[in-house]
Amino acid sequence: MYGFINTCLKSLVIEKFGEDTWDKLRNEAGVQDTFMTYEVYKDDITMKLVSEACKLLDVKADIVLRQFGEYFFEFCKRSGYDHMLRTLGGNLFDFIENLDALHGYLSLSYKEMNAPSFRVEKNKDGSMLLHYYSDRRGLCHIVPGIIGAVARDFFNSTITMEIVDQTEEADRTAKKEHVVFLVTQRVAVPERRGVDDAPLPTTQHLAETLTREATYLGKEKKHQTLCPFRRNHWEMVRGLVRLGKGKLLRGFEPVYPDQLCIDLKAFCSAFPFHIVFDEELEVRQAGVTIQRIVPGLQTMGIRLDLYFRIVHPGVPFTIPSIRTFINSHFVLQTRRDMMPECWTNRPMLELRGQMLWMPSLQCMLYLASPLLRSLQELEERSMHLSDIAPHDATRDLILLNQQRLAEMELSSQLERKKEQLRLLSQHLEEERRKTEALLYAMLPKHVANQLKEGNRVEAGEFKECTILFSDVVTFTNICSECEPIQIVHMLNSMYLKFDRLTTVHNVYKVETIGDAYMVVGGVPIPASTHAEQVANFALGMVIAAKCVTNPITGQPIQIRVGLHSGPVLAGVVGEKMPRYCLFGDTVNTASRMESHGLPDKIHLSPTVYQALRHKGFETQERGEIEVKGKGRMRTYFLERNLTATEGQIMGRRRTTTETNTVPQRQWIDDCQTAVPMQYGESPAETQTPQDKEAAPREKSLSGKTRDSESYGSLHSEGLSEDQSPAQAAEDKMSRSPSARVEPTQPTRSATHRNRRGPRTAFCTLL
């Protein structure tokens, strides 16, 4: 089928049910989204769409096809075929009778068109028998939809159609399906409400009115006055339609001569493609041009079916079959084996014309013209316009259709270019989303948007936030005893689980360097629950790390986690591969909490401990320890959350049955979706977009008022009160967000990384 059929079906689904239903329907059917108007597609595509529509809507196929038939009629009207359809006939019978002629005209433009065939018969009770022939099985239910829409729109009537017979005629070409519909028409004549808004009377109503008026005029003929100014309206109408000896036009009867006044040679020259054959299909007469093209027709008495075959309608080449379809146009094609040798490499000649039965001669007259769609087809058959009679409209039709085909080719090219642009646009949009997703993974969304627009992003101060550092215990030993690819797999497995937890607890991942993982809560979007979010994230990290295997021992890896709360300064550093970094003593202290921690323990500073008090967390006091660069500090260990389950902390979906031990396979399935954990109201969560724009601004280190969500580049890092410049430089090298390199001296305790030495080049690359 041509693409406009599938396009019409797509428009119907979108108009009735929406684009989402169409996307689901085409995905189920496995077809493309758009169709070219003048491109031919396999019938299987249409049948798949109809079949999936029946399943999706849970209705029968005849309902879908009938609805499609009604919509197809409206689609054709909107496509510019409204005027052409209205001129097919003055009533429904004539309209159906001329449908084949319409399809014949359309076949000039749509060369590969395989249209159905129609034949209509009138019954004595006013009903009709509509015979439908088609090569495609299962589409007959479209016909009631189309015919019903035509009757309502053009003839102001309603019809009922029911199938009275359905067979498959094996003797017809390609075993066409033959369906007989009983059509009953009811003309609707609404009451007149006024002169202006009164509907037009139907053809039957006008005929009855004319009959009554004619009878009345016949009775009043004796009393007519000779004064022309006193004649009534119907007398004037009758005077206008008089012909000859006072007969009305509706009573016209043709007059035939006693003998045919035309010379035989003149007739054969005037109709160069006509053929006369009898009941035995023997040729009795032929036009001069068809004799030249098919020399065998010069021998009178040969059988016509030896030289031609019927292409349309698909009926056997017999007189009874032809008389059954006498009102259809017939397309005959020459047989290649009976043509001269010069036609070996040429396309066969096709004739299209009308069959006329002559009872007096018991012969059939075939008045035809060559079926040519363009000048190219004329040249391919070595023919010229002079071979066609001057009175034949085929000459003008070829020239007009030549222009029409050129316009169709241009339109088809534009459609193809449009489809290419649409696909490129979709591909570009997909790439844009991927690029934005990658950019948003590296920088906060609003910061990335400002950088994309070319704006300068200023630095911002956050008075409260919680920073987390973590690393893998004995990571140096693992790197020295394992293959690099094993390290990559281990870190990737661990970081994927950690990244998922950032979504669950809405914390911002700053960066990863080697085995170090850094996140922050309350930055870049301020939140009053930043300590709780980071604490739950830390608990989830310890649980998730148990699912990652140490490639040396085969046991779960151990991690150290350290937390600290305080003020920071945040901004974007660099132009090539810009990074969103945090600066301040809070970063250094959080790093110290991690480096002085214990395996599988979450080490808390006093500020984090105070923030988590009375929030449902169980902590354990570690006591005072010596912290490098900080002196003596009382620290704590976070044990668990008393108000949240492990499933909530890990962001797992609720299940009907809960078990204490979850199989690893089930855990992988749960990792595919992350359920965000609910926290108390925070300023960022409760603010509307208008409130966020009008949010109070905080003062930066320079004293200027800045938005708490605006950041910029920083060129220096502040020192803590109890840090010397040498200690600050050492700390910056050991735990800086932009470059984390271990010190060369064994300054850490025996429990920290087993006194790791300097990292290898591969570890630095990671």
Side-chain angles (χ1 to χ4, degrees), residues 314-469:
V315 297
F317 210 142
T318 61
I319 292 295
S321 299
I322 295 175
R323 294 186 63 178
T324 302
F325 286 81
I326 197 67
N327 293 323
S328 303
H329 72 277
F330 280 76
V331 177
L332 270 60
Q333 186 183 64
T334 55
R335 296 183 180 273
R336 185 172 297 276
D337 55 346
M338 301 300 292
M339 295 294 290
E341 293 182 359
C342 61
W343 282 77
T344 303
N345 298 323
R346 299 178 188 175
M348 291 294 95
L349 175 66
E350 291 184 348
L351 302 177
R352 184 183 65 174
Q354 177 186 8
M355 293 286 185
L356 295 175
W357 176 248
M358 299 178 290
S360 59
L361 300 178
Q362 292 295 300
C363 290
M364 186 72 72
L365 170 62
Y366 180 49
L367 286 175
S369 299
L371 181 57
L372 301 172
R373 298 173 179 84
S374 63
L375 295 175
Q376 179 182 358
E377 294 187 1
L378 189 70
E379 295 175 353
E380 290 174 349
R381 291 161 178 79
S382 297
M383 296 178 60
H384 304 84
L385 289 176
S386 59
D387 295 329
I388 305 173
H391 64 82
D392 196 338
T394 304
R395 286 187 172 197
D396 299 332
L397 190 61
I398 293 175
L399 297 176
L400 291 175
N401 200 55
Q402 178 73 22
Q403 180 181 0
R404 164 71 173 166
L405 292 176
E407 293 175 354
M408 289 177 57
E409 179 62 26
L410 179 60
S411 177
S412 180
Q413 292 179 5
L414 291 177
E415 277 191 331
R416 286 193 291 268
K417 294 297 182 183
K418 180 181 177 181
E419 178 64 13
Q420 292 177 2
L421 289 176
R422 188 187 69 84
L423 295 176
L424 289 176
S425 177
Q426 284 185 349
H427 181 69
L428 181 62
E429 182 64 20
E430 292 177 1
E431 295 300 325
R432 184 188 66 81
R433 286 196 294 265
K434 293 179 182 178
T435 304
E436 288 185 349
L438 181 61
L439 184 60
Y440 295 154
M442 298 173 60
L443 296 171
K445 187 173 182 179
H446 60 281
V447 174
N449 291 336
Q450 293 185 44
L451 292 177
K452 285 196 305 181
E453 295 173 1
N455 300 330
R456 179 179 176 80
V457 183
E458 296 184 354
E461 179 184 359
F462 293 85
K463 294 183 178 180
E464 292 184 2
C465 72
T466 301
I467 298 177
L468 177 148
F469 276 100

Side-chain angles (χ1 to χ4, degrees), residues 10 98 111 126 184 215 233 407 432 467 518 536 590 685:
K10 173 185 176 181
N98 286 278
K111 186 176 180 180
T184 305
T215 305
H233 170 73
E407 293 175 354
R432 184 188 66 81
I467 298 177
M518 178 182 178
N536 286 324
E685 292 172 351

Side-chain angles (χ1 to χ4, degrees), residues 98-144:
N98 286 278
L99 277 178
D100 281 6
L102 173 64
H103 291 153
Y105 166 76
L106 294 177
S107 65
L108 296 176
S109 301
Y110 300 93
K111 186 176 180 180
E112 300 183 27
M113 180 177 179
N114 185 15
S117 180
F118 296 90
R119 181 169 62 90
V120 62
E121 300 175 356
K122 275 188 176 180
N123 297 327
K124 295 181 180 180
D125 58 355
S127 61
M128 294 178 287
L129 289 178
L130 173 59
H131 297 260
Y132 165 80
Y133 304 90
S134 176
D135 293 338
R136 302 180 176 96
R137 301 184 58 183
L139 297 181
C140 61
H141 297 287
I142 297 179
V143 178

Side-chain angles (χ1 to χ4, degrees), residues 710-723:
S710 64
Y711 320 100
S713 300
L714 298 178
H715 305 286
S716 64
E717 183 178 350
L719 301 177
S720 62
E721 296 179 356
D722 56 347
Q723 265 188 315

